[in-house]
């Protein structure tokens, strides 16, 4: 993990009430193979979720409104360093029954950075959310989110993440940094 960045990046946030997770994101070359492995590990076929994330201009961290495409949404603020490998992420989420109305208000107030449309297949493996994402304009990706328990250290989360990477056949050279929004903006370049 880019642990040398964690204390300087999060500073006093480490003692906040926000939940934390250890994340890994990787480009996937064979989505069906990864889905098969994730299915075996989770003992489920996973849940398919369609999402559209609108990112807003934000001076600290990232702010996005996730439209769950069923009349509900989530306003999500998160901070994490942009580095390869496992990384600490802290976040806060507020559910909304009016994603369209909230999107309009936030767009007026902050401006829109961009949108990310994806189909997500969610697998639960222990305390880890394994996402197999098909991102419009980018392709296939995998995200691991090890949700840390109150008494767990970052190191324990990293061990879990690295073990799942190995079990899923995710190689170090396929890891990516940043959010999908960053990758889309870079591709539009």
């Amino acid at each position: 993990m880019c642990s040398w960045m964690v204390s300087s990046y999060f500073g006093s946030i480490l003692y906040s009430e926000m939940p934390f997770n250890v994340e890994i994101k990787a480009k996937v070359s064979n989505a069906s193979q990864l889905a098969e492995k994730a299915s075996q590990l989770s003992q489920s076929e996973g849940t398919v979720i369609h999402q559209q994330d609108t990112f807003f201009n934000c001076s600290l961290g990232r702010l996005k409104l996730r439209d769950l495409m069923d009349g509900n949404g989530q306003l999500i603020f998160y901070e994490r360093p942009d580095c390869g490998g496992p990384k600490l992420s802290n976040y806060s989420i507020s559910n909304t029954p009016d994603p369209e109305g909230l999107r309009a208000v936030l767009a007026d107030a902050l401006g829109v950075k961009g949108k990310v449309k994806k189909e997500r297949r969610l697998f639960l493996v222990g305390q880890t959310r394994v996402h197999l994402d098909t991102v419009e304009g980018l392709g296939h990706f995998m995200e691991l989110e090890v949700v840390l328990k109150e008494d767990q250290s970052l190191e324990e989360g990293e061990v879990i993440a690295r073990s799942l990477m190995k079990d899923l056949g995710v190689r170090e050279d396929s890891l990516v940094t940043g959010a999908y929004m960053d990758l889309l903006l870079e591709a539009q370049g």
Side-chain angles (χ1 to χ4, degrees):
M1 176 163 38
C2 42
S3 55
W4 61 271
M5 295 180 68
V6 171
S7 63
S8 63
Y9 187 82
F10 290 105
S12 62
I13 295 173
L14 287 175
Y15 300 104
S16 76
E17 295 299 316
M18 293 175 135
F20 289 94
N21 63 28
V22 173
E23 288 188 22
I24 291 177
K25 184 180 299 188
K27 183 80 173 146
V28 173
S29 57
N30 188 331
S32 58
Q33 184 179 53
L34 190 124
E36 184 178 318
K37 289 180 181 180
S39 187
Q40 289 171 356
L41 290 170
S42 70
Q43 298 180 357
S44 78
E45 292 303 310
T47 303
V48 175
I49 306 165
H50 296 275
Q51 300 174 337
Q52 179 174 297
D53 294 343
T54 303
F55 283 77
F56 300 95
N57 296 317
C58 183
S59 61
L60 176 67
R62 293 180 174 95
L63 181 66
K64 66 182 174 185
L65 178 65
R66 172 162 290 157
D67 189 334
L68 299 172
M69 312 306 286
D70 65 358
N72 294 295
Q74 298 173 317
L75 184 62
I76 303 168
F77 171 76
Y78 66 100
E79 292 181 293
R80 70 166 182 247
D82 289 331
C83 59
K87 49 194 152 276
L88 177 70
S89 175
N90 72 315
Y91 58 94
S92 56
I93 299 173
S94 179
N95 294 316
T96 179
D98 183 19
E100 287 299 320
L102 186 54
R103 180 182 297 111
V105 170
L106 289 169
D108 287 347
L110 302 172
V112 172
K113 187 174 188 175
K115 292 184 181 183
V116 175
K117 294 178 184 176
K118 65 181 174 281
E119 178 182 280
R120 170 166 281 177
R121 191 164 166 195
L122 168 66
F123 301 91
L124 298 175
V125 180
Q127 70 192 79
T128 305
R129 298 170 58 90
V130 178
H131 303 146
L132 177 55
D133 293 336
T134 302
V135 183
E136 191 175 292
L138 289 178
H140 300 289
F141 291 84
M142 181 273 326
E143 284 184 351
L144 298 178
E145 294 178 353
V146 181
V147 180
L148 296 176
K149 297 175 184 174
E150 193 173 307
D151 61 341
Q152 279 186 305
S153 69
L154 299 174
E155 292 77 17
E156 289 174 281
E158 182 178 357
V159 167
I160 293 167
R162 292 230 179 252
S163 175
L164 268 174
M165 273 180 64
K166 183 179 175 189
D167 292 344
L168 292 168
V170 177
R171 298 184 334 258
E172 287 283 334
D173 64 355
S174 65
L175 297 177
V176 296
T177 62
Y180 294 137
M181 184 75 258
D182 301 329
L183 297 174
L184 281 169
L185 290 172
E186 186 179 299
Q188 295 169 0

